[in-house]
Amino acid sequence: FTNRLGHILSIMKYGYKFSNLCGTVYRKGEVIFTPDGNTVLSPVGNRVSSFDLVNNTFLTLPFETPSNITHMSLTQDGSILLVVDESGICLCVNYRRRLVITQQKFRSKVNFIAFSADSKRFIVCCDQWIGMYYTPSMLKDHSPFELIKGSNSPTEVLCADWTEDGHHFLTTGKDMTIRIYNSDMKLLQYLVGHRDYVLKAWFVKDEEDENKYKIISVSRDGRFTRRDWIFKSEYGKHLQDSSEEESGEEEKSEEESAFSAANRFDKDKGKWITETFVFEGGKQLVRKVGDKEKVIHNSLARVTSAAFHKKARLLLAGFSDGSFEMRRLPDGDLVHYLTLSNARISACAINPTGEWVAFGVGSRGQLTVWEWQSESYIMKQQGHSLDMTCLKYSSNGQYIATGGEDGKIKVWSVNSGFCFATFEDHTASVTALDFSPTGNSLFSCSLDGTVRAYDLGRYRNFRILTGDTQVQFSSVAVDPSGEIVCAGSIDAFDIYVWSVQTGRLLDVLSGHTGPVSSLSFSPSKQILASASWDMTVKIWEVFAGKGNTETLQHSSDVVCVTFRPDGEELCASTLDGNLTFWDVKNNAISGIIEGRRDLRKTDSLTSEVSATNKMAGLCFTSLSYSADGSCIIGGGESKYICFYEVKHKTLLNKFQTTHNTSIEGVKNYTRNMRKRTTEAGLLEEIDQGVVDDLDEFQLYAERKRLLPGSKTVDPGKRDLKLVIRTKGLSFSPTGRSFAAVTTEGLLIYSMDDQIIFDPFELDIDITKDSVLQTLEDTETVLD
């Protein structure tokens, strides 16, 4: 009983919870602003990040969807947030409290979701089906999603928009038409005129007559139209000259006098007058050479995203070539035409005040908020364009440095969550990072054969360290005094030692017969531990100049090594999945943890490994001790991070880094295998023949199949399938949090609870005495 109680108390003592997701600011999906216009919500995989642009902070909302998020919609008062993922599952979230109220599974993939102006209803567009629902209540209910009415559409619906009074709404589709419905889902009109998919359309109330509406629509081919609704009595007026208009008197027809919002767009009461414009991104630049005209620039960039501000009459469009264009209606005057990136703009939005615009570039992981009037950036954040490979906490616990396969090093603030420094000096993947003891300098090694030192005060590279020959470095370590830095090589099997002050190569430590995988300095002694694929961990006395002093033999290749904070113990991770603890003083094994079963790798669709050998090679590739040395965490080719107690060698907790089934290795495909297996193979592997040509991440959209079911493709084409793994772990020096570098991004787990107090609908009448009086009168808030 005593041991069991101690185990429970240890779990309570180290009750780490997910706190924030850094390193990735945008992946795919819609970007929206909150009603006050000061916060932008960005989908990051299956999570939502909230960026406060006024206080310069951001946080990740504490919920996950089963797959990548594609669409979001927020009510006008900012109370209820609807989040939809790729599989059609919708989460209803209390945005103020950051709590999930309920969830709903729609019949198919959702293309668009939008609330009405009064936020009492919302429209869902699922492929060729349109559904109108009542907005769920913030209270728990048996069936919160109440369907008002549904209707089928002859084409795939892409967008929807409401009138301000909520009596009508429109939809756009891939058949290049716009359909207008009333609140009873009755089709009133359908409008044609576009030559490509109609991506977005909006109702705009006329400035002179509140009973009239305009329709602004944008198509994929770079054209946008403005349609003005006129009544029958205005037909002649529309064709007359201005002189005749002044002499005549206006008389209202019977249709206008009997006007009602319910039959505003009846065909027998009026018609639409259309005017078409062309974006700059859809034009051809022509130069006249002699008597002939020659096309010198034929980009014809397609529109990939669009947004419209109804009050300011601002139309914003993002193109596939990374440029964006802003125009002011009704005349279509050009306001801005700039290039933001070299990749397509996946999403754009305008805040309610019309001052800021937000852009998301999915393939670059970039999120930008721009003030168009002053032409200045409010926020510009970009994660690593490729996977992150390593991380390190600073000595004061205020910063986290990450390195990626793109050769970039980014430094993140733990308090704000933003990246405030980016170094792009490396020309190959960054493999390891380490801070100096004072925290003023950051050291990195890369496969380009250099070790670089960065000054975090001046944000510059002040030292470049190289070996006597061209080698690739896999690990780096700085001694506790900050005087020397060591780096291990992959191809030469040596350890290079440099002086930080002079940058001179002091020594080359030889002895390993395999690639050096990890280095670690003892915090209390002047010794260096090196791990190698030759199944050994070697202890070096670097300052004494004696070279190798001790060799610790293991049963398998060693992939990671780390010292306990007091320097009395050493932990090594081997390829067979074991954690071996060594007593540094006696050079003896003090314990072993068999952790391969704790990682428990999940089968994937593309896995062809048998059940007998699927655990082979599963091991911990990164380790980190807690601040007091009582616990150790490990991660590897798995979705789990294992948390062990060092004294009793027991597993305290396992953290699942993500539940996103869009990433390989998260969903267990061995369950219900018989039900999902057909004569043609697994259901997930069968080509359905439906290609979404609007999805930038669906790389096989350009493939041409000669016969149904054939997969004759260009050998140079490759599908991108992310696989879940943990590449780096680091405990904060304070011991209150730890960080992990995974496929999803930089995950931060903390013991500090985030208490949320966000009062609303409070006025001067809400006082202590009034609350007590209400309780005495047995009146509740719900009554």
Side-chain angles (χ1 to χ4, degrees):
F1 175 77
T2 304
N3 294 336
R4 182 64 177 172
L5 180 61
H7 180 71
I8 296 175
L9 293 177
S10 299
I11 295 178
M12 296 175 61
K13 179 181 178 182
Y14 299 101
Y16 293 92
K17 297 180 181 179
F18 173 79
S19 175
N20 213 348
L21 172 61
C22 303
T24 308
V25 294
Y26 177 77
R27 185 70 57 82
K28 65 181 297 186
E30 289 186 348
V31 175
I32 62 174
F33 280 95
T34 54
D36 58 2
N38 297 328
T39 304
V40 60
L41 301 181
S42 172
V44 183
N46 65 334
R47 298 179 183 271
V48 178
S49 294
S50 175
F51 297 87
D52 190 342
L53 304 176
V54 176
N55 300 319
N56 197 30
T57 59
F58 95 97
L59 57 89
T60 304
L61 303 184
F63 61 83
E64 292 183 81
T65 57
S67 59
N68 289 330
I69 296 173
T70 56
H71 298 87
M72 296 185 297
S73 185
L74 189 63
T75 56
Q76 295 296 326
D77 59 354
S79 59
I80 294 180
L81 173 67
L82 296 181
V83 181
V84 184
D85 66 357
E86 293 174 339
S87 60
I89 295 179
C90 176
L91 298 184
C92 180
V93 182
N94 184 341
Y95 178 69
R96 293 194 181 101
R97 299 295 302 168
R98 306 170 194 167
L99 298 176
V100 177
I101 302 174
T102 184
Q103 70 176 24
Q104 173 76 14
K105 177 68 171 69
F106 293 116
R107 58 174 62 188
S108 60
K109 181 191 69 174
V110 176
N111 290 333
F112 196 79
I113 186 169
F115 280 102
S116 61
D118 56 3
S119 300
K120 295 182 179 179
R121 295 167 296 171
F122 66 91
I123 286 288
V124 177
C125 303
C126 302
D127 285 340
Q128 297 184 6
W129 182 80
I130 308 167
M132 183 185 297
Y133 289 83
Y134 285 116
T135 301
S137 171
M138 298 180 66
L139 303 177
K140 292 288 185 179
D141 195 359
H142 174 68
S143 181
F145 282 85
E146 183 180 350
L147 177 63
I148 302 175
K149 196 172 182 179
S151 175
N152 292 323
S153 176
T155 184
E156 183 176 351
V157 184
L158 300 179
C159 174
D161 189 62
W162 294 81
T163 57
E164 292 186 8
D165 53 13
H167 290 288
H168 296 83
F169 68 92
L170 61 80
T171 62
T172 66
K174 289 188 174 181
D175 61 350
M176 301 173 286
T177 62
I178 301 173
R179 288 174 168 82
I180 302 176
Y181 298 83
N182 60 10
S183 58
D184 296 330
M185 302 288 288
K186 179 183 177 182
L187 178 61
L188 301 179
Q189 292 188 38
Y190 66 92
L191 309 176
V192 298
H194 284 285
R195 302 178 182 177
D196 205 340
Y197 297 166
V198 184
L199 299 181
K200 292 289 182 69
W202 302 270
F203 274 118
V204 185
K205 183 174 291 188
D206 193 283
E207 298 178 352
E208 299 178 355
D209 190 349
E210 295 183 354
N211 295 330
K212 294 182 182 179
Y213 276 89
K214 303 177 186 292
I215 294 181
I216 308 299
S217 58
V218 177
S219 60
R220 190 176 59 168
D221 60 354
R223 289 175 169 82
F224 66 97
T225 63
R226 188 195 72 212
R227 290 177 169 88
D228 298 307
W229 175 258
I230 62 172
F231 291 99
K232 279 187 175 181
S233 61
E234 298 178 333
Y235 288 177
K237 177 183 176 181
H238 181 75
L239 299 176
Q240 286 176 354
D241 297 332
S242 58
S243 59
E244 296 178 355
E245 291 181 6
E246 295 177 359
S247 60
E249 295 182 359
E250 299 183 13
E251 295 182 359
K252 290 187 177 182
S253 64
E254 296 180 359
E255 288 85 354
E256 285 185 86
S257 59
F259 171 81
S260 63
N263 58 3
R264 175 186 287 115
F265 300 114
D266 289 348
K267 293 182 179 180
D268 57 346
K269 296 184 181 297
K271 66 178 181 179
W272 294 96
I273 302 299
T274 305
E275 186 175 0
T276 304
F277 303 87
V278 181
F279 287 112
E280 294 292 333
K283 290 183 178 180
Q284 294 180 341
L285 298 182
V286 181
R287 176 183 295 172
K288 192 171 183 180
V289 181
D291 297 335
K292 298 181 179 180
E293 292 183 349
K294 182 179 179 181
V295 178
I296 62 174
H297 179 64
N298 187 14
S299 63
L300 291 179
R302 291 189 172 185
V303 178
T304 55
S305 59
F308 183 72
H309 195 279
K310 296 184 178 181
K311 294 183 179 179
R313 299 294 198 272
L314 292 176
L315 178 61
L316 182 67
F319 295 91
S320 57
D321 60 354
S323 62
F324 72 91
E325 186 172 334
M326 179 181 290
R327 288 181 176 268
R328 188 181 296 276
L329 297 180
D331 297 329
D333 297 333
L334 180 64
V335 180
H336 287 290
Y337 178 52
L338 300 173
T339 299
L340 181 68
S341 174
N342 58 356
R344 62 177 283 170
I345 297 179
S346 307
C348 62
I350 307 176
N351 73 331
T353 60
E355 299 174 346
W356 299 340
V357 293
F359 301 97
V361 182
S363 59
R364 297 292 183 266
Q366 180 180 351
L367 181 64
T368 304
V369 180
W370 190 64
E371 186 175 6
W372 64 272
Q373 293 177 337
S374 62
E375 300 185 9
S376 60
Y377 287 105
I378 303 299
M379 183 190 74
K380 188 177 182 180
Q381 290 288 308
Q382 182 178 3
H384 292 274
S385 58
L386 299 176
D387 287 347
M388 287 184 281
T389 56
C390 53
L391 86 158
K392 190 69 176 180
Y393 257 104
S394 63
S395 56
N396 57 7
Q398 298 296 319
Y399 310 123
I400 299 178
T402 60
E405 294 180 355
D406 55 359
K408 296 180 181 179
I409 300 171
K410 291 182 175 290
V411 186
W412 308 82
S413 172
V414 176
N415 295 328
S416 65
F418 285 103
C419 173
F420 63 89
T422 301
F423 304 104
E424 303 179 1
D425 300 290
H426 285 293
T427 58
S429 174
V430 180
T431 53
L433 297 169
D434 199 6
F435 277 95
S436 63
T438 59
N440 298 327
S441 302
L442 174 65
F443 295 85
S444 65
C445 66
S446 171
L447 295 179
D448 61 2
T450 62
V451 174
R452 296 179 181 269
Y454 296 94
D455 186 355
L456 297 182
R458 300 180 179 180
Y459 304 113
R460 65 182 183 91
N461 178 206
F462 70 89
R463 193 79 70 210
I464 302 176
L465 310 176
T466 58
D468 50 0
T469 59
Q470 183 67 27
V471 294
Q472 291 181 322
F473 295 113
S474 60
S475 54
V476 67
V478 183
D479 77 301
S481 63
E483 296 179 359
I484 65 172
V485 57
C486 301
S489 63
I490 298 177
D491 38 14
F493 311 155
D494 296 330
I495 301 173
Y496 295 80
V497 183
W498 295 275
S499 171
V500 176
Q501 295 294 333
T502 62
R504 186 169 61 91
L505 181 64
L506 301 178
D507 196 2
V508 178
L509 306 178
S510 302
H512 282 294
T513 58
V516 179
S517 56
S518 179
L519 294 177
S520 179
F521 267 103
S522 172
S524 58
K525 302 177 182 179
Q526 295 180 348
I527 58 175
L528 172 69
S530 62
S532 174
W533 291 4
D534 59 2
M535 303 185 186
T536 62
V537 171
K538 294 184 180 295
I539 307 297
W540 312 81
E541 290 188 5
V542 181
F543 288 92
K546 299 179 180 179
N548 181 21
T549 60
E550 191 67 33
T551 300
L552 308 179
Q553 192 67 36
H554 293 76
S555 60
S556 183
D557 297 349
V558 186
V559 295
C560 185
V561 65
T562 183
F563 274 100
R564 200 168 64 184
D566 58 2
E568 299 296 330
E569 188 178 66
L570 178 74
C571 181
S573 170
T574 53
L575 199 60
D576 56 3
N578 295 338
L579 296 180
T580 305
F581 297 88
W582 293 84
D583 185 354
V584 178
K585 183 177 181 181
N586 302 320
N587 295 327
I589 297 177
S590 60
I592 296 177
I593 296 178
E594 297 180 357
R596 174 168 290 180
R597 293 186 178 274
D598 296 332
L599 288 175
R600 202 178 68 185
K601 188 174 182 180
T602 305
D603 290 339
S604 62
L605 277 175
T606 58
S607 176
E608 298 180 357
V609 181
S610 62
T612 306
N613 299 326
K614 69 179 181 180
M615 301 294 288
L618 189 60
C619 62
F620 296 99
T621 57
S622 57
L623 299 172
S624 181
Y625 271 99
S626 60
D628 56 0
S630 61
C631 296
I632 190 171
I633 54 175
E637 301 288 330
S638 172
K639 60 182 178 181
Y640 295 109
I641 298 175
C642 299
F643 198 97
Y644 294 99
E645 185 187 18
V646 176
K647 183 178 181 181
H648 299 92
K649 308 297 186 294
T650 57
L651 178 67
L652 294 181
N653 199 355
K654 283 201 307 184
F655 302 94
Q656 184 170 344
T657 56
T658 183
H659 294 83
N660 189 358
T661 57
S662 300
I663 300 178
E664 195 82 12
V666 176
K667 185 178 181 180
N668 190 358
Y669 289 95
T670 58
R671 297 179 181 178
N672 301 325
M673 183 66 72
R674 182 176 300 178
K675 296 181 180 180
R676 298 184 297 103
T677 304
T678 64
E679 295 180 355
L682 291 177
L683 292 175
E684 290 82 1
E685 292 182 328
I686 298 177
D687 181 20
Q688 303 296 330
V690 178
V691 177
D692 186 4
D693 52 356
L694 297 177
D695 189 355
E696 62 179 311
F697 293 96
Q698 198 167 356
L699 300 181
Y700 55 85
E702 299 176 359
R703 296 182 174 182
K704 296 180 180 179
R705 292 176 171 82
L706 302 180
L707 295 175
S710 66
K711 293 186 178 181
T712 304
V713 299
D714 182 4
K717 296 288 185 180
R718 294 293 183 269
D719 283 342
L720 176 64
K721 187 66 175 179
L722 300 177
V723 180
I724 188 64
R725 58 171 59 94
T726 302
K727 292 190 174 182
L729 289 168
S730 180
F731 249 106
S732 172
T734 61
R736 301 290 299 176
S737 62
F738 70 89
V741 165
T742 67
T743 307
E744 283 281 81
L746 176 61
L747 305 179
I748 299 178
Y749 293 83
S750 176
M751 296 177 61
D752 300 326
D753 294 330
Q754 296 181 355
I755 301 177
I756 304 171
F757 178 70
D758 188 9
F760 62 98
E761 295 183 0
L762 298 182
D763 52 25
I764 59 176
D765 297 331
I766 307 296
T767 61
K768 178 181 178 181
D769 297 335
S770 63
V771 172
L772 294 176
Q773 184 64 35
T774 303
L775 294 175
E776 292 179 0
D777 297 339
T778 66
E779 295 180 359
T780 63
V781 177
L782 297 181
D783 295 336

